[in-house]
Amino acid sequence: MTTLATETTIDPALQSAYDEVLRRNPGEHEFHQAVEEVLGSLGPVVRRHPHYLEASVIERLCEPERQIIFRVPWTDDAGQVQINRGFRVEYSSVLGPYKGGLRFHPSVMLGTVKFLGFEQIFKNALTGMPIGGGKGGSDFDPKGRSDAEVMRFCQSFMTELYRHLGEYTDVPAGDIGVGGREIGYLFGQYKRITNRYEAGVLTGKGLAWGGSRARTEATGFGTVYFAREMARHAGLSLEGTRVVVSGSGNVAIYAIAKVTELGGTVVACSDSSGYVVDEAGIDLELLREVKEERRERISAYAARRPGATFVAAGSIWDVPCDVALPCATQNELDEAAARQLVSHGLEIVAEGANMPCTPGAVRVFREAGVLFGPGKAANAGGVATSALEMQQNASRDSWTFEHTDARLGQIMTSIHERVVTTAEDYGRPGDYVFGANASGFTQVADAMLAMGVI
Ligand code: NAP
């Protein structure tokens, strides 16, 4: 295993840009973390290309093009008026319309949406597709709400947001708490208000009304395709490995499916109430029944599966594995968890979620020589397949599952190639964090420079 240098400090040439981010965005810790992670990689890039500094590209990129915050009033089943807050951060449109998901979770704040939007710019650039970066959401919690309540919330949310959207302007999709049901209600309201069947305005739609085959599976499948490329590149294989996947939502379920198909065994998965260990390998059919159909807690899986155990306290990262795929949420895997994983012989981490590993955890992985695939590269398959959905909508076409999945596989391979090549070009072989940040940034920065002071 090769140990990578731990460059976490920001180059002095970039420090003032970062200080300005801290001053202008007080209290937005996740946003600070995401910016620090990217700027921490860019020292060698601006030393080689000082014109990025001269044109203040970094300062410009740290400021979103537009930030929208709005009230979302709706009525619950008891007739009580509820108020939530809605957000859309239209971060960068230099490569195409703003593109990125909506998150409905009580923890959502402006800083959460900004961190996700900032990450999305570089992720979308890495796909090589014509999409800019944006993200949105609300502090609404769909858990425990009836379908009728979720529908009324989505309708109210879209009644404000629709004026900012359009297939050439801003194209949201799902994220935590926003799946096929929510996209259906959001699209229905958009269509109603605008009197237009503008299929390309939202992605993650149902197959009967403009959705793409393989979009549901894309983020989880793509993460595993990326992990497979990482393994291949290092002369390893996912076949026969022991894998832990955190979460049990959209990304986690399809990561589990793909790992199993490729001959790995997923021995644990989780939700916010705890985790299950199933040494025989997670039974996907049962997991989908519990989480997707019945919307139950993960303990219901262990209750129905002989040999499986549910652990309410502790961390899923205590479970020994060769490959870790964090697919739940940001900062779910900290330094202590990383040390525990390394002590158990961990070889590969690929982030299915956005920023699930803390900076301390990433440092531990790098020092231990664990292969680490950051989310902006590893989980880009979801947004890439959203762009494929937009292509199908624009051409009034519908591709087969096999064709779309094959395109997804090619895109993940080419992202891997791009990241590896960039890292090698800068004399940092195997440094996926550097390769992803430098490559994504360069593409966005060059487009910005070509367009003048924007
Ligand atoms: P999801 O379907 O809503 O599932 C989220 C899963 O993570 C659930 O099992 C949830 O458990 C768990 N979780 C959420 N917050 C948690 C917390 N604070 N602590 C512990 N567990 C928590 O969402 P998803 O679409 O799979 O998204 C998962 C991650 O992937 C997010 O970081 C998202 O930004 C990222 N991502 C998603 C896509 C996509 O296409 N969907 C694309 C790229 C990246 P509970 O049910 O108990 O809350």
Side-chain angles (χ1 to χ4, degrees), residues 24-25 35 75 96 104 213 235 241 269 310 344 349 360 391 404 421:
R24 271 198 163 145
N25 306 278
V35 173
T75 308
F104 292 169
R213 291 186 179 82
T241 50
C269 65
F310 171 67
H344 288 146
V349 182
Q391 277 184 31
T404 320
T421 309

Side-chain angles (χ1 to χ4, degrees), residues 123-167:
K123 178 190 308 191
N124 293 5
L126 284 172
T127 67
M129 303 176 93
I131 41 179
K135 202 82 186 188
S138 173
D139 58 0
F140 171 71
D141 187 358
K143 254 192 229 107
R145 292 291 179 188
S146 69
D147 286 353
E149 288 178 315
V150 171
M151 180 186 74
R152 288 195 294 274
F153 172 80
C154 289
Q155 290 180 338
S156 180
F157 185 87
M158 187 53 90
T159 300
E160 174 57 33
L161 189 64
Y162 87 96
R163 70 193 80 242
H164 304 288
L165 306 184
E167 63 181 309

Side-chain angles (χ1 to χ4, degrees), residues 146-213:
S146 69
D147 286 353
E149 288 178 315
V150 171
M151 180 186 74
R152 288 195 294 274
F153 172 80
C154 289
Q155 290 180 338
S156 180
F157 185 87
M158 187 53 90
T159 300
E160 174 57 33
L161 189 64
Y162 87 96
R163 70 193 80 242
H164 304 288
L165 306 184
E167 63 181 309
Y168 296 106
T169 311
D170 186 348
V171 183
D175 191 78
I176 290 178
V178 179
R181 174 182 61 169
E182 290 75 16
I183 294 291
Y185 296 146
L186 291 163
F187 184 69
Q189 185 70 351
Y190 182 86
K191 185 180 78 57
R192 200 172 164 207
I193 298 172
T194 59
N195 194 32
R196 282 161 63 87
Y197 203 105
E198 192 183 337
V201 75
L202 280 175
T203 59
K205 299 182 294 296
L207 291 184
W209 40 281
S212 171
R213 291 186 179 82

Side-chain angles (χ1 to χ4, degrees), residues 266-340:
V266 178
V267 293
C269 65
S270 63
D271 67 13
S272 57
S273 68
Y275 65 93
V276 292
V277 180
D278 187 348
E279 290 290 341
I282 296 290
D283 177 338
L284 197 65
E285 214 172 301
L286 176 59
L287 183 67
R288 293 188 62 181
E289 184 189 313
V290 167
K291 298 305 294 188
E292 290 185 332
E293 285 165 37
R294 300 161 76 127
R295 295 180 188 269
E296 293 175 314
R297 308 312 293 153
I298 197 75
S299 53
Y301 175 94
R304 269 180 251 150
R305 170 86 165 160
T309 51
F310 171 67
V311 184
S315 160
I316 188 171
W317 308 117
D318 292 341
V319 181
C321 60
D322 309 306
V323 178
L325 304 177
C327 295
T329 194
Q330 64 269 19
N331 292 328
E332 55 159 308
L333 197 168
D334 64 12
E335 188 174 334
R339 288 196 194 289
Q340 181 81 326

Side-chain angles (χ1 to χ4, degrees), residues 390-448:
M390 292 162 75
Q391 277 184 31
Q392 291 168 77
N393 294 149
S395 58
R396 305 260 189 273
D397 202 356
S398 174
W399 304 342
T400 62
F401 186 92
E402 291 69 26
H403 175 72
T404 320
D405 185 37
R407 290 283 311 267
L408 167 65
Q410 288 156 5
I411 291 167
M412 296 315 294
T413 304
S414 86
I415 294 174
H416 180 270
E417 177 70 27
R418 202 170 163 165
V419 170
V420 164
T421 309
T422 305
E424 284 171 359
D425 178 39
Y426 279 88
R428 303 171 72 130
D431 191 340
Y432 285 89
V433 172
F434 175 82
N437 286 335
S439 170
F441 168 78
T442 305
Q443 191 179 343
V444 176
D446 288 346
M448 283 178 81

